Amino acid sequence: MTDNQYMTLNNGVKMPLVGFGTWTLRGEQGKQVVLEALAAGYRLIDTAHMYGNEDIVGQAVAESGIPREEIFITTKLCGTRAGYKLACQGIEESLDRLQTDYIDLLLIHEPYAEAAEMYCALTEAYRSGKVRAIGISNFNAREYLAFIENCDIIPMVNQVECHVYYRRKELQKTLETHGTKMQAWSPFTEGQKPIFHEPILQALGKEYSKTSAQIALQYLVQQGIAVIPKSSHRKRMEENLNIFDTTLTAEDIAQIHQLETGKTLFGWYDD
């Protein structure tokens, strides 16, 4: 991967702009899909306690033959590890299941009431070298601003729902003001919208010899948003990575922005 395929976090760590999401993957078949993604060129693999598949991600990374330092592993602590001691325990569990000495990015999965306590555990793990970067997930702007009031370390990433129908420009602006990068889960809407058949994306895809999916990802990446698409098909995996040879114009981006609804498709937020 070349430099333009990474973003630099507020602590200098470089994170791939396009990662591979794993939330539906389980068992041996799931492990094979992760191995396929790594073979296709993905170097960021996104998992979580909640997904119940950190073990197969760890196995795939170990079996891939790719040096550990070349792979960026993200995982998240969920509500079963809400609290300082429970979060400390959760970090050790993740390290064990992932078969690694360190996690590249560790997030708090939701804005739990105990998020501040959990973040103390993340901060300690970061300072001890068990984690290279720390952050949060699914925090809206109000929750984020309240959260960072008591943070020794500003979160490096906020991973949130973001796609062409829910661009969240104001949230990104708030995050960037304080040094936090935005990363998009559900860049293809998880089937909630017929994004691959969206006429605007299809027309631009035809113009640039790209798929609607590639245009949808390029739209976000070009505006400084990292993305975590999912696919179990090798051809689509490769297509989702192959977006860095295209530059959308300001007019193209304005066209796509017409798709904005300002509404979550998953009911996570009250922006």
Side-chain angles (χ1 to χ4, degrees):
M1 295 177 73
T2 56
D3 283 348
N4 72 324
Q5 297 178 33
Y6 290 84
M7 66 164 43
T8 302
L9 305 181
N10 65 26
N11 65 342
V13 166
K14 289 190 173 183
M15 180 177 81
L17 277 162
V18 180
F20 187 76
T22 67
W23 78 270
T24 58
L25 303 179
R26 303 288 185 277
E28 179 64 25
Q29 186 177 5
K31 184 187 78 172
Q32 292 302 323
V33 172
V34 178
L35 279 166
E36 191 79 3
L38 289 167
Y42 286 86
R43 289 299 177 266
L44 186 157
I45 307 295
D46 181 272
T47 181
H49 268 223
M50 192 184 288
Y51 304 167
N53 63 9
E54 287 176 314
D55 56 342
I56 64 166
V57 169
Q59 290 163 17
V61 170
E63 292 175 21
S64 69
I66 299 166
R68 170 66 185 90
E69 62 271 17
E70 292 181 19
I71 301 174
F72 193 103
I73 299 175
T74 299
T75 193
K76 315 171 200 77
L77 297 183
C78 66
T80 62
R81 295 296 174 264
Y84 170 73
K85 287 186 179 179
L86 286 170
C88 290
Q89 177 187 334
I91 293 166
E92 295 304 321
E93 290 167 346
S94 288
L95 289 165
D96 184 55
R97 285 192 290 251
L98 290 164
Q99 301 180 36
T100 184
D101 296 330
Y102 65 93
I103 294 162
D104 294 280
L105 175 62
L106 182 61
L107 308 176
I108 297 173
H109 209 142
E110 301 174 59
Y112 307 112
E114 303 88 350
E117 297 172 49
M118 296 172 76
Y119 202 68
C120 287
L122 269 63
T123 300
E124 288 179 10
Y126 172 69
R127 286 179 170 148
S128 72
K130 291 179 181 178
V131 179
R132 294 179 66 227
I134 56 178
I136 51 181
S137 181
N138 296 309
F139 281 60
N140 65 23
R142 173 181 47 79
E143 291 161 340
Y144 169 78
L145 290 171
F147 183 76
I148 64 171
E149 281 183 10
N150 299 304
C151 286
D152 290 339
I153 297 172
I154 294 294
M156 287 102 194
V157 171
N158 185 17
Q159 186 185 114
V160 296
E161 175 193 351
C162 182
H163 41 74
V164 297
Y165 306 102
Y166 193 39
R167 164 65 178 82
R168 312 193 76 181
K169 191 174 283 189
E170 287 305 309
L171 173 60
Q172 186 187 14
K173 185 177 177 182
T174 299
L175 297 174
E176 295 274 0
T177 297
H178 296 278
T180 301
K181 295 293 187 182
M182 195 156 97
Q183 187 179 42
W185 61 261
S186 74
F188 297 147
T189 80
E190 308 291 355
Q192 298 294 314
K193 287 267 197 176
I195 188 169
F196 304 128
H197 303 290
E198 191 62 63
I200 289 173
L201 301 180
Q202 287 180 322
L204 288 169
K206 188 174 182 181
E207 181 180 339
Y208 290 103
S209 299
K210 295 290 183 182
T211 66
S212 297
Q214 288 171 311
I215 298 296
L217 294 178
Q218 179 64 24
Y219 168 74
L220 297 176
V221 165
Q222 200 169 309
Q223 296 175 86
I225 302 169
V227 294
I228 316 168
K230 295 198 311 295
S231 177
S232 295
H233 304 283
R234 177 65 178 257
K235 183 173 183 288
R236 289 181 199 147
M237 289 179 185
E238 292 173 347
E239 285 175 351
N240 293 341
L241 273 178
N242 183 26
I243 62 172
F244 294 97
D245 58 350
T246 301
T247 302
L248 299 173
T249 66
E251 184 182 13
D252 296 334
I253 289 173
Q255 275 192 68
I256 297 170
H257 198 62
Q258 294 173 39
L259 300 173
E260 171 68 46
T261 67
K263 295 179 180 178
T264 172
L265 297 178
F266 300 92
W268 279 86
Y269 311 98
D270 57 357
D271 291 355

